[in-house]
Amino acid sequence: GLWLTFAAGFGAMIFSTWFITAQNYTVSEAIGTTFNIPFIVPSVLYVIGIYIVIIGGIKKVGKIAAFLTPIMCGFFSCPAPSL
């Protein structure tokens, strides 16, 4: 339907501007530096993940948030291991 057209257009805009978004760069830099891989790899995966969420709609966003929130809380609550 019409929403799919808008979602695809919005996803295309996100995909076309992946290299200028601050959040994408920050995530790509952190993952790329940590695992010693080119920044383009996590950047493209990040954009594809966002695109899938957008296409899935608000219910998909809710499901993903419900899954990730306890995991994030666990990571944030655990103390960092000493190096």
Side-chain angles (χ1 to χ4, degrees):
L2 186 59
W3 71 269
L4 186 59
T5 303
F6 285 121
F10 189 71
M13 287 186 285
I14 289 174
F15 190 78
S16 67
T17 60
W18 66 268
F19 54 91
I20 60 171
T21 58
Q23 184 177 11
N24 189 355
Y25 178 76
T26 304
V27 170
S28 299
E29 182 183 27
I31 293 173
T33 303
T34 301
F35 296 105
N36 197 23
I37 58 175
F39 292 176
I40 189 83
V41 174
S43 183
V44 169
L45 293 174
Y46 189 77
V47 170
I48 290 170
I50 291 171
Y51 185 69
I52 290 169
V53 170
I54 290 170
I55 290 296
I58 193 70
K59 288 184 179 183
K60 185 76 157 190
V61 172
K63 284 183 179 181
I64 291 172
F67 176 76
L68 288 178
T69 301
I71 295 169
M72 290 171 26
C73 288
F75 280 121
F76 294 149
S77 299
C78 294
S82 58
L83 297 176

